[in-house]
Amino acid sequence: MQERIAVVPGSFDPVTLGHIDIIRRAAALFDRVIVLVVINPVKNTSFTPEERGELIRKSTADIPGVEVDLYKGLLVDYVRSRGAVAIVKGLRAMSDFEYEFQMALINKKMLPYAETVFLTTGQNNLYLSSSLVKNVAMFGGDISGLVPRQIHDEVAARLSGVDSGKLGKEALM
Ligand code: PNS
């Protein structure tokens, strides 16, 4: 039977325990999960796309069927090129809904056979986001419990060294 592939796209700047929870659950539902670091040239990020990919690789090494890729362009073009059948997203608080709904509709319009599958975030991760991690780390707060332990030291060191003046609103998104 044909392998059922799902793509989990995002900025992952950096990957959080909330993302890992979604990736792990997606891996239980599909034969293969591609975690896709989507490169947005106009977004200010704290980690380069390659660094973000590497952080995800280290954090998902124990999850079978997961691969990591980097991509610049329309998500649906990537999904089509890999023969994937689904886009998996995590839904947190209601504030995520409108934006995610909009993206799901436009993606469906462009690639009707691919489904967007929303997984509700685990209760512990309801308010967890990459921007929150950056904010906490930047001011020397403890980010264990927010990012995977495999990448904790690397992420903490990098973010605590960031000049807070350089972290504009976009970098905290
Ligand atoms: O982690 P993020 O920043 O919320 O992820 C958003 C992402 C990367 C999934 C979204 O911006 C995206 O799919 N970008 C690729 C460009 C695209 O396909 N745009 C049309 C649908 S919005």
Side-chain angles (χ1 to χ4, degrees):
M1 220 173 73
Q2 208 191 343
E3 214 184 21
R4 298 186 73 75
I5 303 174
V7 174
V8 181
S11 302
F12 304 110
D13 186 47
V15 66
T16 69
L17 282 176
H19 296 130
I20 299 298
D21 176 49
I22 297 297
I23 294 164
R24 202 177 283 285
R25 286 157 59 200
L29 293 173
F30 294 90
D31 300 319
R32 175 172 296 276
V33 165
I34 303 168
V35 184
L36 189 67
V37 177
V38 178
I39 302 166
N40 180 349
V42 299
K43 196 164 171 174
N44 256 331
T45 57
S46 301
F47 296 88
T48 66
E50 291 73 21
E51 287 171 334
R52 284 179 267 154
E54 204 43 48
L55 291 172
I56 300 168
R57 257 179 223 112
K58 287 177 186 161
S59 308
T60 57
D62 67 325
I63 314 174
V66 172
E67 67 176 86
V68 181
D69 204 359
L70 316 179
Y71 179 70
K72 186 156 75 178
L74 266 187
L75 178 60
V76 288
D77 288 340
Y78 182 87
V79 169
R80 190 191 290 113
S81 74
R82 294 300 306 264
V85 293
I87 297 163
V88 175
K89 305 295 293 279
L91 260 194
R92 293 168 300 189
M94 279 309 287
S95 50
D96 276 347
F97 184 75
E98 199 168 335
Y99 175 58
E100 292 294 346
F101 194 58
Q102 235 177 14
M103 281 200 286
L105 286 181
I106 189 75
N107 287 334
K108 186 82 181 158
K109 199 173 170 63
M110 293 189 286
L111 190 64
Y113 71 75
E115 297 293 349
T116 296
V117 176
F118 290 113
L119 298 181
T120 47
T121 253
Q123 280 193 19
N124 289 346
N125 304 319
L126 253 189
Y127 293 101
L128 180 51
S129 65
S130 299
S131 54
L132 198 87
V133 168
K134 284 188 265 198
N135 233 323
V136 171
M138 195 169 78
F139 296 111
D142 180 11
I143 57 166
S144 52
L146 305 183
V147 299
R149 58 178 168 68
Q150 301 92 314
I151 62 167
H152 171 276
D153 292 354
E154 196 175 337
V155 170
R158 163 66 76 84
L159 292 174
S160 62
V162 171
D163 172 3
S164 59
K166 285 192 190 145
L167 271 181
K169 189 163 179 285
E170 296 90 344
L172 292 175
M173 297 285 279

